[in-house]
Amino acid sequence: MTIENRLSADARRKVVFLALGFYLVFCATNVSYLLPVYYERVGVSHREAGWLIAVFYIVSVISRPFLGGFIASIGFRRFFIIAGAVSITCALGVAYFAGNFWLALAARALLGLRNGMVQVGLASYQAVACSARERG
């Protein structure tokens, strides 16, 4: 590898940020398969637990087409700050409202929105912040 082909420190920082972001999203979405066990312990039926899992993915998929315009209007920094705040608030909501189906459903739906935000945000950031050579 020649010096011209090596990535700059800034490009490496961007790649690490993106890799960490995608890894954390992957971890967060795959933990949701453990939720039925948690919900069973707090008295949620299997049917309700299925809805709590499904609403996350439904909202995540439906919200993605609209989030690109939201990023363009407020910028990446604010976008990721909002996504982080929604994530923390709703994760606490899922734990706190586990016994109340409708509140837990609302918290899971907002977590689905956060999932869509982070995935669209990271993919958009990758396309905007890294040159074609850096993306590979």
Side-chain angles (χ1 to χ4, degrees), residues 6-133:
R6 292 186 185 169
L7 295 176
S8 67
D10 185 50
R12 282 193 301 271
R13 184 176 48 82
K14 291 174 191 174
V15 169
V16 168
F17 170 75
L18 289 166
L20 181 63
F22 280 114
Y23 174 76
L24 292 174
V25 168
F26 178 76
C27 290
T29 57
N30 284 314
V31 168
S32 68
Y33 296 106
L34 299 174
L35 285 176
V37 175
Y38 170 72
Y39 286 134
E40 184 178 19
R41 289 181 181 237
V42 296
V44 174
S45 72
H46 290 286
R47 181 178 181 203
E48 291 173 337
W51 276 106
L52 292 169
I53 301 300
V55 74
F56 174 89
Y57 294 103
I58 291 168
V59 171
S60 179
V61 169
I62 291 172
S63 66
R64 288 180 195 171
F66 307 103
L67 293 171
F70 189 51
I71 292 171
S73 67
I74 67 169
F76 285 108
R77 185 180 190 97
R78 282 192 220 157
F79 187 80
F80 283 121
I81 289 171
I82 291 169
V86 169
S87 182
I88 292 168
T89 303
C90 292
L92 292 172
V94 166
Y96 186 74
F97 299 126
N100 183 323
F101 172 72
W102 294 107
L103 292 175
L105 189 71
R108 286 289 294 166
L110 287 173
L111 273 174
L113 175 65
R114 184 271 316 162
N115 187 56
M117 290 176 76
V118 171
Q119 289 188 357
V120 168
L122 287 172
S124 300
Y125 180 77
Q126 175 185 2
V128 172
C130 300
S131 69
R133 185 179 70 81

